[in-house]
Amino acid sequence: MTSKASSMAGLAGLGLSLYSGLSQAAWELTFQKPATRLGQEIFSLHDWMMVIITIIFVGVFGVMFYSVYAHRKSRGHKAAQFHENTLVEIVWTVVPLVILILMVIPVTGTVLAMRDTSNPDLTIKTTGYQWKWGYDYIKGEGEGIRFIATLATPPEQINGKAPKGEHYLLETDRHLVVPVGKKIRLLTTANDVIHAWWVPALAVKQDAIPGFVRDTWFKVEQEGIYRGQCAELCGKDHGYMPIVVEAVSAEKYSKWVEEQKKLMAAAADDPNKTWTLDELKSRGEKVYAANCVACHQATGKGVPGTFPALDGSKVVMGPKDVQIGTVLNGRPGTAMAAFGKQLSDVEIAAVVTYTRNAWGNKAADMAQPGEIKAARK
Amino acid sequence: MEAANVHVHGAHDAAHGHGHHPTGLMRWVTTTNHKDIGTMYLWFSFAMFMVGGAMALIIRAELFQPGLQYVSPEFFNQMITLHGLIMVFGAIMPAFVGFANWMIPMMIGAPDMAFARMNNWSFWLLPPAGILLTASMFVTGGAAGTGWTLYPPLSVQMGMGMDMAIFAVHILGMSSIMGSINIITTILNMRAPGMTLMRLPMFCWTWLVTAYLLIAVMPVLAGAVTMILTDRHFGTSFFNAAGGGDPVMFQHIFWFFGHPEVYIIALPAFGVISHVIPAFARKPIFGYTSMVYAIASIALISFIVWAHHMYVVGMPVAGQLYFMYATMLIAVPTGVKVFNWVATMWRGSMTFETPMLFAIGFLFLFTIGGFTGLVLSMTSVDVQLQDTYYVVAHFHYVMVAGALYSAFAGVYYWLPKWTGHMYDETLGKWHFWLSFISFNAAFFPQHFLGLAGMPRRIPDYALQFTDFNQVSTYGAFVFGLSQLLFLYVVLKTIRGGEKAADKPWEGATGLEWTLPSPPPHHSFEEPPILK
């Protein structure tokens, strides 16, 4: 932010101190500060093109506005009657062509560099879900780490019941942590509809397409936190699936990997444990809050006409295996996603048990993780 | 052809013929007259423009500040979808078909369009399509919330509103194809003796090329949406990877339609401008021949650049480079047109009535839209700008300041001919200046929003985007309300006003100005002879 913009932001903050968030207001005119070399190149390319465009603009409209000023009837200008000149026509076909060639040469270089995903130090797969991003570290240091990152902005801020925080809508519960100075190859795919993984400061945008894997890469130059968003309309909460990348030094990254490994080991559920109804319900409520509320709502009433209610639903209150099948495999042609790959056996068992016993639903039975495991086969 | 021949040969004398025509509502339902049909097209288009505009204002109201204030995210998505579909298919395209109906027979010295009954049918298909689109908001699940591009798999998830949109697109496509057949036949067969193709008025040339584009690409769109329909209901997997399909294939098919569609909208707009600028510069159009070649090259190149809308789907790098080079080529013929218009103004004797103001506004702002198009054509820069507000700004400069301004220029230019009355020049100028300033207030800041990283199609945004969004919303509301002034000016002109001469503009040329204002029921009973 320039100092001028900061002082303007300061004024705005004073005037509207109710909205603490506005103190961040900024009249940004160009790209965010790039944090990768490629981003830097794209930034300068854009500047270079703006220079050329401005010259052409001034030339063409200089002529036009001079003509508007000088060749007007009210000034007594008599119309000439010329209407053809082959030489002029050739010149203004060839000259733009030459300018275009001058513009395109440097761009071609960046396009080739952008698509060169060979020899990465670390490979991470990201999966777009409606409406969150899943990350799997699949090759390199940290292999095996996997988690899902969801929007961390509380609903009260969105609905105007609480002041908006500094990183309103651009904050997630988990950050994608990567080491600086390492080439990260990012594979993208999606579970339901097309999403696009975009972090402006890293100059990376890649569609995530269900059933296909695409790739892109980035190498962050400086430590820091970089924020982005889903860029392809993916349904109701398209505006609410941000991306937060945290670039750290190699040592900090190794430490983070250690911590994650320990946490994952600790969090792993004992596969042979038999769960009680209350344990499953309380675990299920958390799973529901993280995965289901966006559509089916906290009340279980859904959104009439768009997302079905679970409270009183025939599927939820019907045979257990049918409901488990729906959660595992989704329902093709609707927004109901297949959660089989996102959630563990315990989580699915818990959320099924929770929905069968929440709100007005009184099935009074439960699903054990073993049943889910069996249903997967 | 039948109607045409009958009247040309004078078998049906005009005074006698008028007695048979029904009056009141049935006149409009059964009319086969090109002027009546043209009028209906223009009013239909204006009605849709108001509906689509109201939706735009809902979008801008919600985006006035961060957070959700007025609408839910689902409804917001429905608004952006319907706004896009209604403005493209319901407002802009029918507006230029309306101009074509009114002006082509009068410009080429024909009594009417070639297929008069089909002309009636191609208009009357539009209202059901408009109703289907608008009414889809009120069915269970609401309208399609996919954006006008209807990308699957999202469009497969939608409710019944999606099927209504698909059906509407089918009907609109049929209407466009019939309209195009009519226009091509009329232009190729019904020109006055002596009017060779290279003496054809520029507006007719642009429509001739546009009509071929429509016939080439509307079936492609119909095919794409039909595949969505069968994926939705009949178990096919055209766009479903799990069944061996590919969601990206839809994008290729859609944009193979979608890019020529841009020129389907832009070319007739170029045509109108090519009449208005020479008329008010009192000087013949510069480089007629090269203008015709430029139109034809733009149309041809428009078929081979579609995937520049898809730089981030992950196509091979060779594909990215090819589509970048091809896309940049379009700048050459488009540049030729701009240079020719400026050369037409050069050393003319200009006056600045409302049509000329809109034409200059068009030239200035459309060129800005062309420049941002050039920026977007560069693959690596586009990766930063794809699906951001920069793109929204770009295509509104092309569609609104391009096509819509040109339609305004055309209405003010030919309104005296159509109604027999002069419009109120002062109010016309107010309409121009209000539209010009508010349009730029609404859309120029969106370039900055896109550059700074605001995605399009979001109902809510991060705090750093607030200021420019507020400017944009103010601009959009003033722009929207200014169009009511346009409605008032047009109604006032229809009801009365200073009597218009046959040729109210000193520098205007063309056969349409040899007819009385308003023109007789059948434009040219006898073909005029061109020397």
Side-chain angles (χ1 to χ4, degrees):
Chain A
M1 206 189 279
T2 63
S3 63
K4 193 177 159 209
S6 322
S7 60
M8 280 169 114
L11 279 175
L14 271 176
L16 294 154
S17 52
L18 265 177
Y19 298 95
S20 63
L22 277 186
S23 62
Q24 229 218 343
W27 301 84
E28 292 295 344
L29 297 181
T30 189
F31 288 132
Q32 295 178 17
K33 191 170 169 289
T36 62
R37 221 182 65 200
L38 202 60
Q40 191 61 55
E41 281 171 24
I42 291 173
F43 198 111
S44 358
L45 264 181
H46 179 258
D47 284 349
W48 161 234
M49 289 181 54
M50 289 313 290
V51 170
I52 298 180
I53 284 172
T54 309
I55 294 169
I56 304 174
F57 183 87
V58 170
V60 172
F61 290 108
V63 171
M64 188 188 88
F65 282 113
Y66 172 77
S67 177
V68 164
Y69 165 75
H71 305 148
R72 49 170 68 208
K73 198 184 176 192
S74 57
R75 287 172 57 96
H77 194 271
K78 293 276 178 292
Q81 289 301 313
F82 66 85
H83 57 90
E84 235 166 11
N85 187 326
T86 312
L87 179 69
V88 167
E89 299 280 358
I90 292 173
V91 167
W92 67 39
T93 308
V94 173
V95 170
L97 203 59
V98 172
I99 297 176
L100 286 178
I101 292 169
L102 289 180
M103 284 169 112
V104 86
I105 292 169
V107 182
T108 303
T110 57
V111 176
L112 293 172
M114 199 173 72
R115 295 307 301 277
D116 178 15
T117 54
S118 58
N119 303 318
D121 299 307
L122 180 61
T123 304
I124 301 172
K125 183 178 87 170
T126 180
T127 308
Y129 299 98
Q130 283 174 318
W131 293 276
K132 52 192 176 265
W133 291 97
Y135 297 102
D136 288 83
Y137 288 64
I138 56 179
K139 199 146 181 257
E141 190 182 1
E143 196 172 315
I145 295 175
R146 55 182 311 200
F147 57 87
I148 283 176
T150 49
L151 177 73
T153 304
E156 297 76 41
Q157 290 190 17
I158 296 170
N159 296 324
K161 295 191 182 105
K164 297 184 183 4
E166 189 189 357
H167 298 297
Y168 176 70
L169 295 191
L170 296 180
E171 50 198 345
T172 54
D173 55 350
R174 307 276 312 255
H175 293 174
L176 176 65
V177 178
V178 296
V180 291
K182 293 270 164 47
K183 182 170 183 177
I184 318 285
R185 178 173 180 231
L186 188 77
L187 308 178
T188 65
T189 187
N191 192 52
D192 30 51
V193 301
I194 302 175
H195 303 268
W197 197 89
W198 179 34
V199 178
L202 305 184
V204 167
K205 184 184 287 145
Q206 180 60 54
D207 279 359
I209 298 161
F212 292 86
V213 177
R214 307 291 202 214
D215 68 347
T216 183
W217 70 276
F218 58 88
K219 188 196 261 182
V220 191
E221 303 288 337
Q222 300 157 344
E223 290 188 50
I225 290 182
Y226 305 98
R227 296 168 198 275
Q229 281 178 273
C230 177
E232 181 66 58
L233 179 60
C234 56
K236 176 170 96 69
D237 284 348
H238 164 55
Y240 302 96
M241 50 183 293
I243 296 153
V244 181
V245 176
E246 188 175 342
V248 297
S249 66
E251 304 85 72
K252 278 193 215 151
Y253 179 72
S254 302
K255 236 174 92 188
W256 178 80
V257 168
E258 284 310 307
E259 277 169 26
Q260 294 305 307
K261 293 259 153 113
K262 275 185 207 142
L263 281 172
M264 281 170 72
D269 294 301
D270 178 356
N272 300 317
K273 176 181 170 184
T274 304
W275 294 63
T276 68
L277 180 64
D278 285 340
E279 278 173 339
L280 282 171
K281 272 164 69 180
S282 67
R283 180 74 181 271
E285 193 170 358
K286 285 183 199 127
V287 177
Y288 185 85
N291 296 283
C292 317
V293 280
C295 298
H296 295 297
Q297 309 297 321
T299 56
K301 301 276 186 215
V303 176
T306 311
F307 303 117
L310 297 186
D311 188 5
S313 151
K314 279 189 193 130
V315 177
V316 176
M317 297 302 288
K320 200 162 52 178
D321 52 334
V322 175
Q323 192 198 357
I324 292 172
T326 309
V327 176
L328 277 176
N329 306 317
R331 182 162 289 183
T334 69
M336 179 64 196
F339 285 94
K341 284 187 207 141
Q342 293 182 54
L343 302 178
S344 69
D345 292 348
V346 175
E347 286 168 326
I348 291 180
V351 80
V352 165
T353 307
Y354 170 71
T355 53
R356 295 176 79 81
N357 296 287
W359 318 297
N361 295 349
K362 303 273 180 280
D365 59 359
M366 57 180 151
Q368 287 293 338
E371 295 174 61
I372 310 297
K373 202 175 172 192
R376 281 183 194 271
K377 284 169 188 161
Chain B
M1 281 310 289
E2 193 195 328
N5 288 332
V6 168
H7 296 301
V8 168
H9 299 307
H12 206 73
D13 110 273
H16 180 234
H18 279 232
H20 294 310
H21 291 290
T23 51
L25 184 65
M26 285 314 281
R27 169 190 168 190
W28 299 101
V29 174
T30 61
T31 182
T32 54
N33 182 277
H34 75 98
K35 302 188 191 74
D36 285 355
I37 294 172
T39 304
M40 289 195 294
Y41 263 108
L42 289 167
W43 278 114
F44 173 80
S45 134
F46 189 77
M48 285 284 116
F49 175 58
M50 288 287 121
V51 174
M55 290 170 173
L57 295 186
I58 293 174
I59 295 169
R60 283 314 325 168
E62 179 56 52
L63 291 175
F64 184 67
Q65 49 181 314
L68 289 176
Q69 286 82 33
Y70 306 109
V71 298
S72 66
E74 302 94 291
F75 188 73
F76 184 89
N77 289 348
Q78 296 172 22
M79 285 295 101
I80 59 164
T81 310
L82 289 182
H83 167 73
L85 288 172
I86 286 177
M87 286 304 200
V88 169
F89 294 105
I92 302 185
M93 288 170 67
F96 284 103
V97 182
F99 280 107
N101 260 293
W102 253 104
M103 299 318 300
I104 288 176
M106 286 171 32
M107 284 177 167
I108 64 172
D112 205 307
M113 296 293 280
F115 304 112
R117 285 180 206 288
M118 188 165 82
N119 204 13
N120 171 292
W121 179 225
S122 39
F123 170 76
W124 281 108
L125 281 172
L126 293 181
I131 291 167
L132 269 175
L133 273 180
T134 317
S136 69
M137 269 193 295
F138 305 107
V139 299
T140 316
T146 57
W148 83 287
T149 48
L150 310 175
Y151 282 4
L154 188 60
S155 50
V156 176
Q157 286 185 354
M158 293 293 143
M160 186 184 156
M162 184 71 208
D163 302 315
M164 295 170 78
I166 290 174
F167 195 36
V169 168
H170 280 147
I171 299 176
L172 291 162
M174 281 194 271
S175 161
S176 291
I177 291 170
M178 284 195 277
S180 302
I181 293 172
N182 216 340
I183 287 168
I184 293 174
T185 315
T186 307
I187 295 179
L188 292 185
N189 294 302
M190 295 173 65
R191 279 168 288 136
M195 183 177 279
T196 59
L197 277 179
M198 288 317 272
R199 292 175 77 180
L200 198 58
M202 196 56 81
F203 179 70
C204 301
W205 253 118
T206 55
W207 248 115
L208 184 62
V209 174
T210 302
Y212 277 106
L213 285 181
L214 275 168
I215 290 179
V217 300
M218 289 312 286
V220 176
L221 176 66
V225 295
T226 307
M227 285 189 266
I228 290 184
L229 191 75
T230 62
D231 269 14
R232 284 169 58 77
H233 297 296
F234 308 116
T236 57
S237 300
F238 291 110
F239 308 127
N240 176 5
D246 183 348
V248 177
M249 186 173 77
F250 175 85
Q251 301 183 20
H252 282 290
I253 303 173
F254 180 87
W255 288 113
F256 186 81
F257 145 81
H259 201 76
E261 170 68 19
V262 172
Y263 294 96
I264 286 168
I265 289 170
L267 289 181
F270 292 174
V272 172
I273 298 301
S274 300
H275 284 256
V276 173
I277 290 183
F280 294 93
R282 292 167 181 75
K283 187 163 158 282
I285 185 120
F286 186 83
Y288 174 93
T289 318
S290 74
M291 291 287 250
V292 171
Y293 289 134
I295 296 164
S297 343
I298 291 172
L300 288 176
I301 302 176
S302 76
F303 280 107
I304 55 166
V305 297
W306 73 90
H308 65 215
H309 298 268
M310 305 163 51
Y311 282 145
V312 302
V313 297
M315 73 179 102
V317 68
Q320 288 185 326
L321 291 174
Y322 159 73
F323 281 108
M324 171 166 78
Y325 300 150
T327 302
M328 293 175 70
L329 267 188
I330 287 201
V332 175
T334 314
V336 167
K337 295 200 73 86
V338 171
F339 300 142
N340 276 311
W341 286 319
V342 173
T344 305
M345 292 163 73
W346 186 252
R347 291 182 52 211
S349 174
M350 276 184 273
T351 51
F352 301 93
E353 288 88 345
T354 313
M356 184 62 162
L357 289 178
F358 272 107
I360 294 175
F362 163 94
L363 191 51
F364 187 63
L365 299 178
F366 180 84
T367 306
I368 294 180
F371 282 138
T372 53
L374 200 55
V375 173
L376 287 167
S377 75
M378 309 283 172
T379 310
S380 48
V381 180
D382 179 78
V383 164
Q384 281 288 60
L385 297 173
Q386 163 105 38
D387 277 317
T388 68
Y389 257 87
Y390 192 90
V391 176
V392 177
H394 159 71
F395 68 70
H396 281 94
Y397 267 78
V398 181
M399 297 281 145
V400 181
L404 182 65
Y405 274 30
S406 155
F408 285 146
V411 169
Y412 285 110
Y413 182 54
W414 285 305
L415 203 54
K417 173 57 63 189
W418 296 341
T419 62
H421 303 293
M422 294 306 285
Y423 62 85
D424 186 327
E425 191 63 60
T426 312
L427 289 181
K429 283 185 173 154
W430 268 97
H431 174 224
F432 169 75
W433 286 108
L434 281 171
S435 298
F436 185 82
I437 294 165
S438 59
F439 169 82
N440 284 294
F443 293 104
F444 207 78
Q446 295 182 359
H447 292 112
F448 302 131
L449 287 171
L451 286 165
M454 177 170 165
R456 66 191 285 206
R457 295 171 168 172
I458 55 173
D460 191 358
Y461 48 82
L463 303 177
Q464 68 265 33
F465 305 126
T466 311
D467 310 80
F468 279 130
N469 269 300
Q470 298 198 332
V471 176
S472 179
T473 297
Y474 285 126
F477 272 84
V478 176
F479 185 80
L481 294 175
S482 307
Q483 306 321 313
L484 298 176
L485 178 61
F486 172 67
L487 177 64
Y488 174 74
V489 174
V490 171
L491 290 176
K492 193 176 161 206
T493 314
I494 292 172
R495 295 170 68 94
E498 188 195 328
K499 183 90 187 70
D502 292 356
K503 185 161 90 81
W505 311 117
E506 190 188 0
T509 53
L511 288 177
E512 73 262 38
W513 307 109
T514 64
L515 291 169
S517 300
H521 193 68
H522 296 295
S523 301
F524 285 94
E525 298 279 338
E526 299 289 339
I529 309 290
L530 273 80
K531 285 177 270 314

